[in-house]
Amino acid sequence: MISMHTSPLEQPGIGDAGGMNVYIRNVASHLASHGVQVDVFTRATRASQGEIVEVEPGFRVINCIAGPFEGLPKESLPTQLTAFTGSVIAFVRGEVAQRPDGPSGLCARTGAGVYDIIHTHYWLSGQVGWLLRDLWEVPMVHTAHTWAAVKNLGLADGDTPEPESRRICEQQIVDNADRVIVNTQEEADALIEAYDASPERLAIIAPGVDIERFTPGSDRATERARRELGIPLRAKVIAFIGRLQMLKGPHILLRAAAELIRRHPGQNIRVVICGGPSGTGLERPDDLHDLAASLGVSGYVRFLSPRPPEELVTVYQAADIIAVPSFNESFGLVALEAQASGTPVVATRVGGLPLTVAEGVSGVLVDGHDPEVWAHALEQLVLDDALRITMGAAAPAHAATYSWDATVEKMMAAYDRAFGDGTVETPVRIPHGIPMGLA
């Protein structure tokens, strides 16, 4: 796998790390549990990381040097595509030369020192994978996670459009990948419309959720979580979890919550914002604090730093409602984790969220981003305790229909179909006579 711009080991909610990191880590881990050897190549961002990180049996992360460790924004990473690709090639060549007969890096299908398949994540990685696919003649599967043409159709006010150069690069990937994996039928339709994608090469595979980690909490667990987070025990708590940028819509929640607090001062409404600045939010890291102050609700809002999954579950359990006011969301892992934790969701009707949230059963879907409309949607669950509790009780069953095991079984079937297209007939040797490849 290639995830050039962010490592699956990074903390989601910080910088460029988010749902994609959760996705890659879980897919790689579950592939490994199914007996698949997985190496994830990513760009090194700290000298202390080490070149090889053994995450678990069958799953390694390879940190490749390409540009300075720190201070290189995602927008500048295209300048390092050649360096990154060269680093990947050098690593694999070294692996094969050092252990030509060892188990690591051996192709299960040929027994040669090559990987079976390339699976790229995000368009930067897709460009790298496209080159290596043609160099090593192995199939390439691509998961974009977000698409420039789709994002630009639903920009938040103040957001910067994705450049045309990215859309062109994505078009090249769509044209050359053996399989493109999408989360939903809506995403597939968007690719066919915006990128003239071939329907035969699209595979619709929904992500999963860790239902063993994200579970409903007891009343006692909720009280303990609120104490730990400094939230009043008897408050009505609306939480936002994710990267703090305009695209994710946390400002919409603050404006809607301010209206709710004005309408219902006796409801003791509190808002929790859990995440770190990302994207355009990096340019204005104090914007949400300033907005809360200007709305007069600073005393009702608690800002929390990003948390690892084992701690994040307590935020889900401490909340009465999880708000997902995104302007674009290819699937919506936060909404799925919230429901698995027994917390109903109020989300925008965009992207994969209508699939992720069972409308009227485990949550409410909102059309658009008008704070007044959002205030009304949140008001339903804030005031109607019985409805909120009923939705929370139904939410885990809906979330349980999505599992990482099911995702990975469909992923492996997509890999098999890529092989079945006849992309690879015999192992390929590159200069110096060393069998090479990448997965």
Side-chain angles (χ1 to χ4, degrees):
M1 290 190 182
I2 308 175
S3 178
M4 176 184 173
H5 82 285
T6 183
S7 169
L9 304 182
E10 291 295 325
Q11 168 63 56
I14 297 177
D16 294 319
M20 175 176 147
N21 303 70
V22 175
Y23 180 102
I24 295 173
R25 179 157 188 164
N26 277 281
V27 167
S29 177
H30 283 75
L31 281 170
S33 73
H34 282 67
V36 180
Q37 296 278 333
V38 183
D39 284 348
V40 180
F41 289 84
T42 190
R43 194 180 78 87
T45 55
R46 293 185 297 276
S48 61
Q49 286 173 315
E51 185 179 32
I52 302 173
V53 179
E54 299 274 359
V55 182
E56 58 190 72
F59 171 21
R60 305 187 302 177
V61 170
I62 315 300
N63 293 299
C64 299
I65 295 177
F69 290 123
E70 299 177 355
L72 193 67
K74 185 168 68 173
E75 293 73 23
S76 298
L77 288 181
T79 66
Q80 300 303 315
L81 287 173
T82 300
F84 181 82
T85 306
S87 185
V88 172
I89 291 172
F91 175 84
V92 180
R93 179 179 291 131
E95 280 278 285
V96 174
Q98 291 172 22
R99 295 189 287 175
D101 299 319
S104 178
L106 291 183
C107 175
R109 294 174 181 272
T110 66
V114 295
Y115 294 97
D116 289 301
I117 199 162
I118 304 166
H119 188 167
T120 58
H121 298 269
Y122 197 64
W123 71 273
L124 291 167
S125 302
Q127 285 287 306
V128 175
W130 174 27
L131 172 61
L132 295 176
R133 168 192 180 274
D134 289 348
L135 180 65
W136 294 328
E137 297 186 11
V138 296
M140 170 187 161
V141 172
H142 182 69
T143 305
H145 300 277
T146 63
W147 298 93
V150 177
K151 286 183 70 174
N152 286 345
L153 289 174
L155 289 174
D157 292 339
D159 248 353
T160 303
E162 294 296 323
E164 177 64 9
S165 57
R166 172 181 168 178
R167 192 204 63 79
I168 292 171
C169 287
E170 291 174 341
Q171 183 68 65
Q172 294 167 333
I173 295 165
V174 169
D175 291 344
N176 287 279
D178 296 279
R179 280 291 181 279
V180 176
I181 293 176
V182 295
N183 294 323
T184 64
Q185 182 63 53
E186 181 179 91
E187 186 180 353
D189 294 342
L191 257 65
I192 294 169
E193 175 69 24
Y195 295 89
D196 196 28
S198 169
E200 293 76 20
R201 285 194 286 148
L202 298 180
I204 302 173
I205 304 175
V209 64
D210 187 345
I211 57 176
E212 293 183 1
R213 183 184 302 279
F214 296 100
T215 59
S218 63
D219 291 342
R220 182 172 296 180
T222 298
E223 289 182 7
R224 183 169 62 250
R226 290 192 175 190
R227 286 194 181 96
E228 292 174 356
L229 298 173
I231 301 170
L233 296 182
R234 303 305 173 197
K236 299 288 181 66
V237 181
I238 306 169
F240 169 94
I241 297 173
R243 289 176 290 153
L244 305 186
Q245 60 180 124
M246 301 292 283
L247 181 71
K248 298 296 184 181
H251 57 294
I252 302 298
L253 172 58
L254 283 180
R255 293 185 183 280
E259 175 61 21
L260 270 184
I261 291 167
R262 184 191 65 78
R263 291 182 194 172
H264 308 286
Q267 286 291 327
N268 196 16
I269 296 168
R270 293 290 189 275
V271 176
V272 172
I273 306 285
C274 181
S278 175
T280 54
L282 291 169
E283 302 167 10
R284 303 178 295 273
D286 297 324
D287 256 14
L288 291 175
H289 292 78
D290 295 341
L291 177 60
S294 69
L295 294 170
V297 294
S298 292
Y300 300 87
V301 181
R302 181 102 162 84
F303 288 93
L304 303 176
S305 60
R307 282 155 163 69
E310 59 271 17
E311 297 178 21
L312 189 61
V313 65
T314 63
V315 181
Y316 285 121
Q317 292 174 348
D320 292 293
I321 304 164
I322 296 295
V324 187
S326 301
F327 284 76
N328 178 263
E329 202 71 61
S330 60
F331 189 69
L333 287 176
V334 165
L336 206 53
E337 291 172 352
Q339 291 167 94
S341 304
T343 306
V345 175
V346 177
T348 317
R349 196 189 302 274
V350 296
L353 287 169
L355 179 66
T356 309
V357 179
E359 186 172 18
V361 177
S362 62
V364 176
L365 294 174
V366 183
D367 293 310
H369 298 86
D370 185 333
E372 291 280 343
V373 176
W374 265 85
H376 176 70
L378 292 167
E379 189 175 44
Q380 298 177 58
L381 297 187
V382 167
L383 299 183
D384 192 335
D385 293 341
L387 176 61
R388 187 181 67 253
I389 292 169
T390 299
M391 284 188 170
H398 174 66
T401 61
Y402 297 91
S403 75
W404 286 115
D405 281 327
T407 298
V408 162
E409 287 172 5
K410 293 176 182 177
M411 196 84 69
M412 292 171 70
Y415 294 163
D416 285 337
R417 285 194 294 274
F419 283 110
D421 289 343
T423 304
V424 182
E425 296 181 358
T426 58
V428 175
R429 293 181 179 269
I430 68 164
H432 309 300
I434 300 173
M436 297 288 287
L438 177 65

